[in-house]
């Protein structure tokens, strides 16, 4: 077992996270290779219902696998928190005026047993809650920055500077109909503490 959670970037907005206990989480399954989904899930998280975020059929499941979608995480304007033995999952604001109804989208903050935290922005522009996230001392944060359906790298960088995570990673860097990663676009995201993950790469959340 690792001392810290391990973030595996599958591509686009798709993530696989292994907790210090060895629990396996998937977020917004869509991109990647068959082998990226070979580890059976303990938990699957879906930020919203667009096709490039909700291909949960790709993920191998255990009998006890839990799936939490935006519809579970946000009800009647209330953002919910879910407690598991291996982490805490908090739904947070996400959305924009372009293509993502704030009433039907969420981001997530994951808190692991070692106290480290991961903020996953989901598809969004700047939200009111980001100022509050700065008080949380987030360990690692991921910010969408495609500039088509969501904020562009400049706005994503401004959001990263607002959240002030220990490390900030660009993801959802382009239109999923065209590609799964745009290195040029990702490179325009350059806040202090920027960290870049290409599809298939991993980092510890420490």
């Amino acid at each position: 077992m690792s001392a810290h959670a391990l973030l595996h970037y599958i591509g686009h907005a798709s993530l696989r996270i292994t907790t210090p206990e060895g629990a396996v989480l998937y977020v917004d399954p869509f991109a990647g290779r068959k082998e990226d989904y070979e580890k059976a899930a303990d938990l699957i998280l879906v930020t919203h219902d667009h096709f490039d975020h909700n291909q949960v059929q790709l993920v191998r499941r255990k009998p006890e696998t839990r799936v939490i979608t935006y519809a579970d995480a946000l009800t009647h304007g209330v953002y919910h928190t879910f407690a598991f033995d291996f982490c805490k999952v908090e739904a947070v604001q996400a959305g924009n005026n372009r293509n993502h109804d704030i009433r039907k989208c969420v981001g997530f903050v994951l808190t692991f047993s070692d106290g480290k935290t991961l903020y996953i922005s989901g598809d969004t522009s700047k939200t009111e809650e980001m100022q509050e996230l700065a008080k949380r001392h987030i360990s690692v944060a991921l910010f969408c920055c495609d500039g088509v359906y969501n904020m562009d790298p400049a706005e994503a960088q401004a959001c990263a500077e607002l959240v002030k995570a220990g490390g900030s990673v660009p993801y959802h860097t382009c239109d999923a109909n065209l590609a799964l990663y745009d290195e040029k676009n990702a490179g325009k995201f350059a806040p202090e503490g920027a960290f870049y993950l290409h599809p298939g790469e991993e980092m510890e959340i420490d």
Side-chain angles (χ1 to χ4, degrees):
M1 301 296 177
S2 172
H4 302 293
L6 186 67
L7 170 63
H8 176 90
Y9 181 46
I10 299 175
H12 193 52
S14 303
L15 313 170
R16 187 183 75 216
I17 301 154
T18 306
T19 73
E21 298 80 9
V24 177
L25 292 67
Y26 290 89
V27 183
D28 287 353
F30 163 71
R33 308 157 299 172
K34 182 178 180 180
E35 51 264 40
D36 290 314
Y37 296 96
E38 286 182 345
K39 294 184 178 181
D42 293 278
L43 177 64
I44 304 170
L45 303 175
V46 177
T47 61
H48 63 291
D49 68 353
H50 288 174
F51 78 96
D52 56 332
H53 294 259
N54 69 356
Q55 303 302 310
V56 296
Q57 75 280 358
L58 295 173
V59 182
R60 288 181 56 222
R61 302 190 196 186
K62 303 175 181 179
E64 67 274 17
T65 298
R66 179 82 180 272
V67 180
I68 297 175
T69 73
Y70 62 94
D72 306 305
L74 172 59
T75 58
H76 306 294
V78 177
Y79 293 85
H80 298 291
T81 296
F82 306 85
F84 299 92
D85 291 341
F86 48 84
C87 77
K88 180 172 71 172
V89 177
E90 299 171 75
V92 296
Q93 287 179 342
N96 55 41
N97 293 326
R98 297 183 192 180
N99 201 43
H100 299 92
D101 187 337
I102 198 168
R103 299 168 298 179
K104 298 179 181 179
C105 298
V106 298
F108 291 107
V109 174
L110 309 183
T111 303
F112 303 102
S113 58
D114 61 358
K116 304 302 181 181
T117 48
L118 174 66
Y119 167 51
I120 302 164
S121 75
D123 278 17
T124 194
S125 295
K126 179 182 175 182
T127 70
E128 296 176 358
E129 196 167 9
M130 287 179 182
Q131 187 72 60
E132 294 301 312
L133 290 176
K135 302 174 183 177
R136 301 281 302 272
H137 304 291
I138 299 293
S139 304
V140 175
L142 294 105
F143 296 91
C144 61
C145 60
D146 61 270
V148 179
Y149 300 105
N150 299 290
M151 54 190 175
D152 61 16
E155 185 181 355
Q157 179 169 327
C159 291
E161 291 167 350
L162 189 62
V163 173
K164 294 181 172 61
S168 296
V169 182
Y171 83 140
H172 200 309
T173 56
C174 54
D175 182 345
N177 291 297
L178 303 176
L180 297 179
Y181 187 76
D182 185 331
E183 187 161 6
K184 183 178 180 180
N185 210 35
K188 296 176 183 177
F189 174 87
E192 183 177 354
F195 192 90
Y196 304 94
L197 286 176
H198 294 83
E201 293 183 338
E202 298 180 335
M203 68 179 292
E204 281 196 341
I205 301 171
D206 63 356

